[in-house]
Amino acid sequence: MAASLTAVQLIEKHRPTLDQALEAIRTRAYWSPHPEHPKAYGESAAGDGQAAFDALRGERLDLDQSGTDDWVGDEVSPYGLELGVKYPHPDVDVLLPAMRAAMPAWRKAGPEARAMVCLEILSRISARTHEFAHAVMHTSGQAFMMAFQAGGPHAQDRGLEAVAYAYVEQVRTPDTAEWSKPQGKRDPLNLSKQFTAVPRGVSLLIGCNTFPTWNGYPGLFASLATGNAVLVKPHPRAVLPLALTVAVAREVLAEAGFDPNLVALAAERPGEGLAKTLAVRPEIRIIDYTGSTAFGEWLEAHARQAQVFTEKSGVNTVVVDSTDDYHGMLGNLAFSLSLYSGQMCTTPQNLLIPREGIDTDAGHKSYDEVVTDLAGAVERLLGDDARANALLGAIVNPQVGERIEAAAGVGEVALASRAVPHPDFPGATVRTPVIVKLEGARKQWENGADDDAPYLSECFGPVSFAVAMDSSADAVDLLRRTVRDKGAMTVGAYTTSPEVERLVEAACLEECAQLSLNLTGGVYVNQTAAFSDFHGSGGNPAANAALCDGAFVANRFRTVEVRRPA
Amino acid sequence: MAASLTAVQLIEKHRPTLDQALEAIRTRAYWSPHPEHPKAYGESAAGDGQAAFDALRGERLDLDQSGTDDWVGDEVSPYGLELGVKYPHPDVDVLLPAMRAAMPAWRKAGPEARAMVCLEILSRISARTHEFAHAVMHTSGQAFMMAFQAGGPHAQDRGLEAVAYAYVEQVRTPDTAEWSKPQGKRDPLNLSKQFTAVPRGVSLLIGCNTFPTWNGYPGLFASLATGNAVLVKPHPRAVLPLALTVAVAREVLAEAGFDPNLVALAAERPGEGLAKTLAVRPEIRIIDYTGSTAFGEWLEAHARQAQVFTEKSGVNTVVVDSTDDYHGMLGNLAFSLSLYSGQMCTTPQNLLIPREGIDTDAGHKSYDEVVTDLAGAVERLLGDDARANALLGAIVNPQVGERIEAAAGVGEVALASRAVPHPDFPGATVRTPVIVKLEGARKQWENGADDDAPYLSECFGPVSFAVAMDSSADAVDLLRRTVRDKGAMTVGAYTTSPEVERLVEAACLEECAQLSLNLTGGVYVNQTAAFSDFHGSGGNPAANAALCDGAFVANRFRTVEVRRPA
């Protein structure tokens, strides 16, 4: 097929963006080509996006893939809508060989052409951000604005960041080299060498329910940009955002003259467990996974033929030692606990507070006062139902709801969760966070007697523990133990003491966790910005990779050398 | 302790060398700061090196390590000498914590200071190259000149290359960034960010018998340069070269003001199996291993707490299709088969030759003629015992000898191995290569009926198979299958046909193997040059990493970010 999108056109259109991305990951200053504000997408974008989403409902999303043997899908929005979209179900014995067959031409295209195609895919996804926002909202349960931003521009940023890392990693070795080794008085030895980035094989993306695009795009684009084919196995409750992504990718690949089977969807029947089947197929050489620790560890143990990148669960800690902005600290923490009803892998879970209280610009505050004031800050933040619904999210699965109910049995409830009625979606279950007081005294945990303590296992959802500690030094010790044994995507700390700051930093550097210090304004511990912040460290049990760095891309391809006499 | 070597001194001395190495890995042109010729090391170097080696024999090599509980060592040179050196045996429950305790200061020193210390270590090793050459010769069985070059400058090159990759990988993220995100009419969000490369933990180097320094230095220096401590567990028959390396590293670390326990030796008692014990210790977070596939796979399966880099076994193939330099081809192949008596992971094993013969500049040559002429070329190359001893090596273990004896039972022997007497070392067993004729017809192997064929398993040592094929296309098919199922460190091919060249290249690109085409002069398929050639591809079963690339270093450290309001 003749390409309707030529390499020259794509380079002219996207090379400047790639160059800006390369500069951003080098300086790590603020940058994004994807606007956050819904109005930036044009007058008609909101209505068009809503209409496009509505038109998808109850229909087949035909991707024209090889080896489709059934139509599946039974998504119900956490806000109550039945989506009714049907997706192709793959005969993997047909689809996987078709994907492998597509790879040589993609390899031959080279790193720049692949990057340009990836940027065109992202650019078309960006143009449909409103439509994607509805798809993300009605699969993840995120409120519209969060679905728009995190599922749209922020996810696209993370995808573009991965393309930039993948590109630079591939071109650090030149295409060719002339090698001439002196031999004293004899003629030198001369060789011509040719270096080619070659893909590992088919890359499997195992998507998650809560952030299908944000957590999915880095692996998808890193693998595609390095020459691999990518098979997308979405979470069965969050198929639509990734199915739309696959559709756009296939459309662009075909227009650029490549085989669209380079990107394909693997939707599954209820209870099929397709991820397990696919993960150990010999064709699958890379796996990107976000989800439970149990399945992540299963993949690491069993998918030995593949490079496995996992983001699992962790226990995020905030050390509260002292502050010169008590009001700002409470507001910042209240927002962090509330956003998307705490259903983020980055939401703080354990708030470690000295039993004897903390020094603040508003005077000394006892442990009880801090907890009460934080509860008050959350109540003020979420007092208005409209504002609460804009900030919270719909509960993504019944287990989260059960954890909220179980929280009262764990300790004294300092702030109870309430259900917030949603004017547009009466079927939605939107919940505010619960805060539970716990004891975490040194005597209890230093000998391992608290191995079963609630603060030492992830309680995914809007449940946080205000843990009373003997001292801030004890809090840092517990932080250290928590990161080492349970992992953490984020650590926060509030302190005006240089000594406590030093202790917390040392703990994070030695146990390998990302630290946010004294956040009191509009940046929250649970948010990271592509091109500047690393998401996860890859060095503690919560995740074996970070988004995004060299290690995330460097082993997705290999370099083959052909040398011959010059 | 005050440092007698300051950072300023080290930067002044070594930064230009690091910059040249960085340029070399970018251009991949020829470069080395380590001279290959023994005379380049000064008038007295040869005598001094011999004397230093002699002085080591029968003595304790005291490294002043923490936790030494015994003295062990029973090395006997493949050339017959008993070395009699005794090495410290570690109490790992004392040594590993001491190594961990040494790491924070090493982390704080930063990437440049670490690189400079590594270069000083390499520079002092380089100055003692003659001494190391004897140590390598009398543990590996390499002839002196090979032990000198491969165990000296070439190994030092590979170590320096790893330092260069490690350095550039760490500094691609800046130390600090100022991040300012516009907020429309409101004030921007401002954060100060600080990024620190942090080590994974203690890195374990499991050394091999045949190339203790060449295969050991890349992992050792990559881990040390990225902030890790390195525990060196040498092969029990090749302790000395790595023990000397550890001694130099400890001396330099101490002089530079660091804890020498950052590099330590783990010598073992006979049959102790210390590698297995160490590999699963929680302190061990990185493992570099060269050796058998069986133990490599054990490490990959069991050392789940660590990043595991393995070079295992493979089956190297040369496709012989046609040539315009028959004489050059035979000479080049004869040398490749003979060097170090074929005891290289890169030595060709399977020579795939069309049954109907090949076209050459000396006329058409039948399969039998090619095999006979190759045997003749080997005999001419090794006809003189002095020259043979300079090129061959002493047999490193009894299993290699058994494989030579067993070769006659595998097929028709086209060239028998002979024992070459060594004038200086009457106890040495030096052997010439054996070439065995085998059938590899399509009908035999296309249905997997030849799964047990000799050419489908590694026969480590000076045994090669001249496999008669129905055609060159069949040869490429067998090459492809061999690389995919058994792995290969090297592939060679001789052809004047653009079509066959295309087929071989496609097979190597798709199955991920490093290809040398039409080598007829002084470059051999089994040799790679640091800074330019990749050793292994990391993409087939022979090895999961290549020396050296971004993937070899990128996951030896993680980047921890600390962000705070600006």
Side-chain angles (χ1 to χ4, degrees):
Chain A
M1 192 186 76
S4 55
L5 269 180
T6 68
V8 170
Q9 288 170 329
L10 288 172
I11 289 171
E12 194 175 345
K13 182 172 175 191
H14 295 300
R15 181 75 216 198
T17 308
L18 178 62
D19 288 337
Q20 285 178 284
L22 293 171
E23 178 68 4
I25 61 175
R26 200 183 62 73
T27 65
R28 306 200 84 79
Y30 171 78
W31 180 71
S32 170
H34 303 117
E36 276 183 331
H37 200 292
K39 290 195 175 153
Y41 292 79
E43 284 284 319
S44 66
D48 294 348
Q50 179 75 60
F53 172 72
D54 290 343
L56 291 163
R57 293 180 58 196
E59 299 293 329
R60 273 191 182 175
L61 190 69
D62 193 349
L63 298 168
D64 197 25
Q65 293 185 170
S66 297
T68 296
D69 62 8
D70 199 357
W71 294 88
V72 298
D74 55 3
E75 292 158 292
V76 178
S77 166
Y79 285 99
L81 308 180
E82 283 192 24
L83 300 195
V85 189
K86 293 292 177 190
Y87 307 97
H89 178 277
D91 176 346
V92 294
D93 290 323
V94 176
L95 182 57
L96 286 172
M99 296 181 77
R100 280 178 61 101
M103 286 169 48
W106 187 233
R107 179 195 81 226
K108 283 178 201 155
E112 187 181 39
R114 288 194 293 267
M116 295 299 104
V117 169
C118 288
L119 264 62
E120 178 65 19
I121 295 169
L122 284 164
S123 150
R124 293 200 195 177
I125 290 170
S126 172
R128 289 166 65 177
T129 293
H130 276 270
E131 179 185 357
F132 273 82
H134 291 286
V136 170
M137 176 181 182
H138 288 295
T139 50
S140 69
Q142 291 171 18
F144 181 79
M145 185 57 92
M146 179 169 176
F148 187 94
Q149 294 187 337
H154 298 172
Q156 295 150 21
D157 283 349
R158 282 285 179 204
L160 176 55
E161 178 189 55
V163 174
Y165 269 99
Y167 173 78
V168 81
E169 193 69 31
Q170 293 172 91
V171 300
R172 66 196 286 186
T173 302
D175 292 342
T176 59
E178 296 301 316
W179 182 87
S180 181
K181 179 175 177 178
Q183 297 291 293
K185 290 169 188 159
R186 288 172 292 150
D187 287 342
L189 298 173
N190 293 320
L191 291 177
S192 288
K193 303 181 179 186
Q194 164 194 322
F195 301 96
T196 307
V198 303
R200 282 201 168 268
V202 180
S203 185
L204 175 66
L205 169 63
I206 305 177
C208 71
N209 196 352
T210 47
F211 288 91
T213 56
W214 198 96
N215 276 92
Y217 284 4
L220 191 164
F221 284 100
S223 281
L224 191 60
T226 47
N228 303 279
V230 182
L231 182 57
V232 177
K233 206 300 289 174
H235 192 285
R237 286 194 296 268
V239 182
L240 187 56
L242 289 176
L244 292 174
T245 303
V246 170
V248 173
R250 293 175 64 86
E251 168 191 299
V252 172
L253 285 162
E255 287 181 35
F258 297 101
D259 186 334
N261 282 326
L262 285 167
V263 179
L265 187 75
E268 63 191 317
R269 302 187 183 94
E272 183 178 357
L274 187 53
K276 260 192 168 167
T277 311
L278 290 170
V280 295
R281 290 279 301 210
E283 298 93 337
I284 301 294
R285 303 296 308 278
I286 302 168
I287 298 176
D288 287 280
Y289 167 77
T290 308
S292 72
T293 292
F295 191 57
E297 290 182 347
W298 185 92
L299 288 170
E300 290 164 2
H302 292 87
R304 304 283 306 289
Q305 85 292 353
Q307 305 285 318
V308 180
F309 299 88
T310 55
E311 185 185 319
K312 299 166 287 191
S313 66
V315 175
N316 302 318
T317 296
V318 176
V319 174
V320 181
D321 166 76
S322 51
T323 179
D324 57 11
D325 181 2
Y326 189 56
H327 181 75
M329 176 186 87
L330 294 173
N332 188 283
L333 277 177
F335 187 97
S336 290
L337 300 183
S338 301
L339 187 64
Y340 185 27
S341 293
Q343 299 172 111
M344 301 175 73
C345 57
T346 51
T347 303
Q349 174 177 312
N350 294 342
L351 313 173
L352 309 187
I353 306 166
R355 187 186 317 286
E356 294 183 355
I358 66 172
D359 288 329
T360 83
D361 59 316
H364 188 84
K365 300 289 179 182
S366 70
Y367 165 83
D368 283 334
E369 283 174 308
V370 173
V371 178
T372 303
D373 290 347
L374 177 60
V378 173
E379 283 177 329
R380 273 194 306 282
L381 181 69
L382 305 176
D384 173 69
D385 280 359
R387 185 166 171 189
N389 272 311
L391 195 57
L392 297 166
I395 298 305
V396 74
N397 65 44
Q399 291 74 41
V400 173
E402 288 161 16
R403 277 182 219 115
I404 297 172
E405 303 316 320
V410 174
E412 180 191 340
V413 174
L415 175 68
S417 172
R418 77 176 176 99
V420 181
H422 199 296
D424 302 329
F425 303 105
T429 304
V430 176
R431 297 291 294 262
T432 67
V434 53
I435 300 176
V436 176
K437 290 180 167 180
L438 291 178
E439 281 295 315
R442 169 179 283 277
K443 292 212 168 35
Q444 192 182 344
W445 61 265
E446 75 174 353
N447 55 5
D450 66 343
D451 278 350
D452 298 330
Y455 54 75
L456 279 181
S457 66
E458 189 190 43
C459 187
F460 185 79
V463 180
S464 291
F465 301 123
V467 189
M469 305 299 300
D470 280 352
S471 68
S472 289
D474 279 8
V476 175
D477 285 350
L478 180 54
L479 162 66
R480 200 182 266 275
R481 176 178 172 202
T482 308
V483 175
R484 184 163 53 220
D485 295 351
K486 304 299 168 179
M489 295 302 292
T490 58
V491 174
Y494 291 91
T495 184
T496 58
S497 153
E499 173 59 12
V500 172
E501 183 170 322
R502 198 190 61 74
L503 285 175
V504 173
E505 277 199 68
C508 288
L509 288 166
E510 284 163 29
E511 304 303 335
C512 208
Q514 309 297 13
L515 173 63
S516 296
L517 273 168
N518 295 318
L519 296 184
T520 53
V523 177
Y524 305 95
V525 66
N526 38 350
Q527 294 180 321
T528 61
F531 309 108
S532 184
D533 294 320
F534 293 104
H535 173 73
S537 75
N540 70 56
N544 73 4
L547 303 179
C548 187
D549 63 9
F552 189 69
V553 300
N555 227 342
R556 292 176 192 259
F557 70 99
R558 304 276 68 214
T559 303
V560 169
E561 174 182 352
V562 179
R563 58 181 188 173
R564 36 169 76 81
Chain B
M1 193 186 77
S4 55
L5 270 179
T6 67
V8 170
Q9 287 171 329
L10 289 172
I11 289 171
E12 193 175 345
K13 181 171 176 193
H14 295 301
R15 181 76 216 198
T17 309
L18 178 63
D19 288 337
Q20 286 178 286
L22 293 171
E23 178 67 4
I25 61 174
R26 199 184 64 71
T27 66
R28 306 200 83 78
Y30 171 77
W31 181 71
S32 170
H34 302 118
E36 275 182 331
H37 201 293
K39 291 197 175 151
Y41 291 79
E43 285 285 318
S44 67
D48 293 348
Q50 179 75 59
F53 171 72
D54 291 342
L56 290 164
R57 292 180 59 198
E59 300 291 330
R60 275 192 180 174
L61 190 69
D62 193 349
L63 298 167
D64 197 25
Q65 294 185 171
S66 296
T68 296
D69 61 9
D70 200 358
W71 293 89
V72 297
D74 55 3
E75 291 158 292
V76 178
S77 167
Y79 285 99
L81 308 180
E82 283 191 24
L83 299 196
V85 189
K86 293 292 176 189
Y87 307 96
H89 178 278
D91 176 345
V92 295
D93 289 324
V94 176
L95 181 56
L96 286 172
M99 297 181 77
R100 280 178 61 101
M103 286 168 50
W106 187 234
R107 179 195 82 226
K108 282 178 203 156
E112 187 181 39
R114 287 194 293 267
M116 295 300 103
V117 168
C118 289
L119 264 62
E120 177 64 19
I121 295 169
L122 284 165
S123 150
R124 293 201 195 178
I125 290 170
S126 171
R128 289 168 64 177
T129 292
H130 276 271
E131 179 186 357
F132 273 81
H134 291 286
V136 170
M137 176 180 184
H138 288 296
T139 48
S140 69
Q142 291 173 18
F144 181 79
M145 185 57 93
M146 180 168 176
F148 187 94
Q149 294 187 337
H154 298 172
Q156 295 149 21
D157 282 350
R158 282 286 178 204
L160 176 55
E161 179 189 54
V163 174
Y165 270 98
Y167 173 78
V168 80
E169 194 67 31
Q170 293 172 89
V171 300
R172 66 196 286 187
T173 302
D175 292 341
T176 59
E178 296 301 317
W179 183 86
S180 180
K181 180 176 178 178
Q183 297 291 293
K185 290 171 190 157
R186 287 173 294 150
D187 288 342
L189 298 173
N190 294 320
L191 291 177
S192 287
K193 303 180 180 187
Q194 163 194 323
F195 302 96
T196 306
V198 303
R200 281 200 168 269
V202 180
S203 184
L204 175 65
L205 169 63
I206 304 176
C208 69
N209 196 352
T210 48
F211 289 91
T213 56
W214 198 96
N215 275 93
Y217 284 4
L220 191 165
F221 284 99
S223 281
L224 191 61
T226 47
N228 304 277
V230 182
L231 182 57
V232 176
K233 207 300 290 174
H235 191 285
R237 286 195 296 269
V239 182
L240 187 56
L242 289 176
L244 291 175
T245 303
V246 170
V248 174
R250 293 175 65 87
E251 167 191 300
V252 171
L253 285 162
E255 286 180 34
F258 297 101
D259 187 333
N261 282 325
L262 285 166
V263 178
L265 186 75
E268 63 191 316
R269 301 188 184 95
E272 182 177 356
L274 187 53
K276 261 192 168 169
T277 311
L278 289 170
V280 296
R281 289 280 301 211
E283 298 94 337
I284 301 295
R285 303 296 308 277
I286 302 169
I287 298 176
D288 287 280
Y289 167 77
T290 308
S292 73
T293 292
F295 191 57
E297 290 182 347
W298 185 92
L299 287 169
E300 290 164 2
H302 292 87
R304 304 284 305 290
Q305 85 292 354
Q307 306 285 317
V308 180
F309 299 89
T310 55
E311 184 184 320
K312 298 167 288 191
S313 65
V315 174
N316 303 318
T317 296
V318 176
V319 174
V320 181
D321 167 76
S322 51
T323 179
D324 57 11
D325 181 3
Y326 188 57
H327 181 75
M329 177 185 89
L330 295 173
N332 188 280
L333 278 176
F335 187 97
S336 290
L337 300 183
S338 302
L339 188 63
Y340 186 26
S341 291
Q343 299 172 111
M344 300 175 72
C345 58
T346 52
T347 304
Q349 173 177 315
N350 294 342
L351 313 172
L352 308 186
I353 307 165
R355 187 185 318 285
E356 296 183 353
I358 66 171
D359 288 330
T360 82
D361 57 317
H364 188 84
K365 301 288 180 183
S366 70
Y367 164 83
D368 282 333
E369 284 174 309
V370 173
V371 178
T372 303
D373 291 345
L374 177 60
V378 173
E379 283 176 329
R380 272 193 307 282
L381 181 68
L382 304 175
D384 173 69
D385 281 359
R387 184 166 173 188
N389 273 312
L391 194 58
L392 299 165
I395 297 306
V396 74
N397 65 43
Q399 292 74 42
V400 172
E402 288 161 16
R403 277 182 218 113
I404 297 172
E405 305 314 321
V410 174
E412 180 191 340
V413 173
L415 175 68
S417 171
R418 74 175 177 101
V420 181
H422 200 295
D424 302 329
F425 303 105
T429 305
V430 177
R431 296 292 297 261
T432 67
V434 54
I435 301 176
V436 176
K437 289 178 166 182
L438 290 178
E439 281 295 314
R442 169 179 283 278
K443 292 209 170 35
Q444 192 182 345
W445 59 265
E446 75 174 354
N447 55 7
D450 65 344
D451 278 350
D452 297 329
Y455 54 75
L456 279 181
S457 66
E458 188 190 43
C459 186
F460 185 80
V463 180
S464 291
F465 302 123
V467 189
M469 305 298 302
D470 280 353
S471 67
S472 290
D474 279 8
V476 175
D477 285 351
L478 179 55
L479 162 67
R480 200 182 266 275
R481 177 180 171 203
T482 308
V483 175
R484 184 163 54 220
D485 295 351
K486 304 298 168 181
M489 294 302 292
T490 58
V491 173
Y494 292 90
T495 183
T496 57
S497 153
E499 172 60 12
V500 173
E501 182 170 323
R502 197 191 60 73
L503 285 175
V504 174
E505 277 198 68
C508 288
L509 289 166
E510 286 164 28
E511 304 303 336
C512 209
Q514 309 298 14
L515 173 61
S516 296
L517 273 169
N518 296 319
L519 295 184
T520 54
V523 177
Y524 305 94
V525 66
N526 35 352
Q527 294 180 321
T528 61
F531 309 109
S532 184
D533 294 320
F534 293 105
H535 173 72
S537 76
N540 69 57
N544 74 4
L547 303 178
C548 186
D549 63 8
F552 189 68
V553 299
N555 226 342
R556 291 176 194 259
F557 70 99
R558 305 275 68 216
T559 303
V560 169
E561 175 182 352
V562 179
R563 57 181 189 173
R564 36 168 77 80

